Amino acid sequence: MAGDLLDNQGRGDVRWSLPPIHPEGRKYGLIALVVSLFFLIGLDWEIVGWPLLALSAGIFAFFRDPERVVPQDDSAILAPADGQVTMIAEVEPPRELVIDDGSGIGGLSPDTVTRVSIFLSVFDVHINRTPIAGTVQRVVYIPGSFADAGLDKASEENERQHILVERSDGTKVGFTQIAGLVARRIVPFVKPGDTLGAGQRVGLIRFGSRVDIYLPAGTGSDVLLGQRVVAGETVIARLGARKLLEGVSQ
């Protein structure tokens, strides 16, 4: 009926439901589950079986892939990851997002911009999403170390993957998936030339990690240090507006 409340999937009843498990994690969860049942039922080794069963539940939870309600606002730049904002700094963009890569498509300007760093704990959703709608211009994987993702040097030393997305009006936003102490693989879902809608899934990082986003020149952060953000839903900045926030790290 007209006026009935609909959820974001067009259903007439709004209700909570378990989020689906991303296919990337199903095999790991099933392996842990089978091994735990082997110890519990086959060998009756409860001291090993129960911890493994808890581990399998944790793996399924880690790879959960909930639906997100993306703001319908062309000026919005969305959070690319779930987690806590741990750094907001004025920096130069990564070299890989700036230099000519031979494709004939320019990268980011080398001028100083605002970088917002989002730390993902093992309890956060690890599916990453594009902050803007547009075309993927670059996906650059860089091997590296696995230091604490909370450290500033992780942006330059850790294993990471840069992604550059360009809107139809020429606005470009770059962001970087960074592996951490526990993370050991960055899994991309996109490649150069792909066209994305705002908030669309672009990849995941297995276990604790970090995502940096480089805002367009002249654009400041609308989020604060310590704030928790949700990928594809939280607006972290708006194009054409710059806010000078107390507590911004220089």
Side-chain angles (χ1 to χ4, degrees), residues 118-239:
I118 302 168
F119 180 78
L120 297 78
S121 75
V122 294
F123 300 106
D124 288 311
V125 173
H126 273 57
I127 304 295
N128 302 146
R129 296 171 179 262
T130 177
I132 60 172
T135 301
V136 178
Q137 302 294 10
R138 297 185 187 182
V139 178
V140 184
Y141 172 77
I142 308 294
S145 61
F146 297 95
D148 183 353
L151 300 176
D152 189 47
K153 67 178 183 180
S155 296
E156 299 179 353
E157 297 182 5
N158 278 27
E159 177 175 325
R160 57 202 182 277
Q161 181 166 262
H162 303 293
I163 300 176
L164 180 65
V165 180
E166 182 176 6
R167 292 189 357 156
S168 58
D169 63 2
T171 300
K172 298 173 183 175
V173 174
F175 55 103
T176 305
Q177 300 166 288
I178 304 172
L181 280 172
V182 181
R184 283 298 182 269
R185 189 182 177 195
I186 299 172
V187 182
F189 301 162
V190 298
K191 62 185 183 303
D194 287 351
T195 300
L196 307 175
Q200 186 172 332
R201 300 167 179 83
V202 296
L204 66 83
I205 316 173
R206 289 181 184 165
F207 309 107
S209 50
R210 184 175 120 197
V211 175
D212 290 345
I213 178 171
Y214 298 87
L215 303 178
T219 305
S221 169
D222 281 4
V223 293
L224 297 170
L225 290 173
Q227 181 176 337
R228 291 198 60 80
V229 297
V230 177
E233 291 192 355
T234 303
V235 177
I236 63 171
R238 294 186 184 278
L239 294 170

Side-chain angles (χ1 to χ4, degrees), residues 24-118:
E24 183 70 22
R26 292 173 190 168
K27 56 186 175 183
Y28 298 104
L30 287 173
I31 289 172
L33 179 61
V34 169
V35 173
S36 67
L37 293 177
F38 171 75
F39 279 101
L40 281 173
I41 300 175
L43 300 180
D44 198 25
W45 288 7
E46 294 190 1
I47 194 172
V48 177
W50 286 115
L52 286 175
L53 188 62
L55 175 63
S56 66
I59 291 174
F60 284 127
F62 174 84
F63 284 100
R64 66 194 185 278
D65 185 15
E67 294 295 329
R68 295 290 161 81
V69 181
V70 179
Q72 302 303 299
D73 182 350
D74 288 341
S75 69
I77 299 177
L78 308 176
D82 286 27
Q84 184 177 41
V85 176
T86 55
M87 283 183 279
I88 303 174
E90 300 296 317
V91 301
E92 294 180 356
R95 178 175 178 272
E96 294 81 11
L97 293 176
V98 173
I99 62 173
D100 182 358
D101 64 352
S103 66
I105 300 172
L108 297 178
S109 167
D111 297 333
T112 298
V113 297
T114 300
R115 182 188 72 196
V116 178
S117 299
I118 302 168

Side-chain angles (χ1 to χ4, degrees), residues 11-22:
R11 297 174 300 195
D13 55 335
V14 181
R15 62 184 185 276
W16 182 88
S17 60
L18 283 172
I21 308 301
H22 192 274

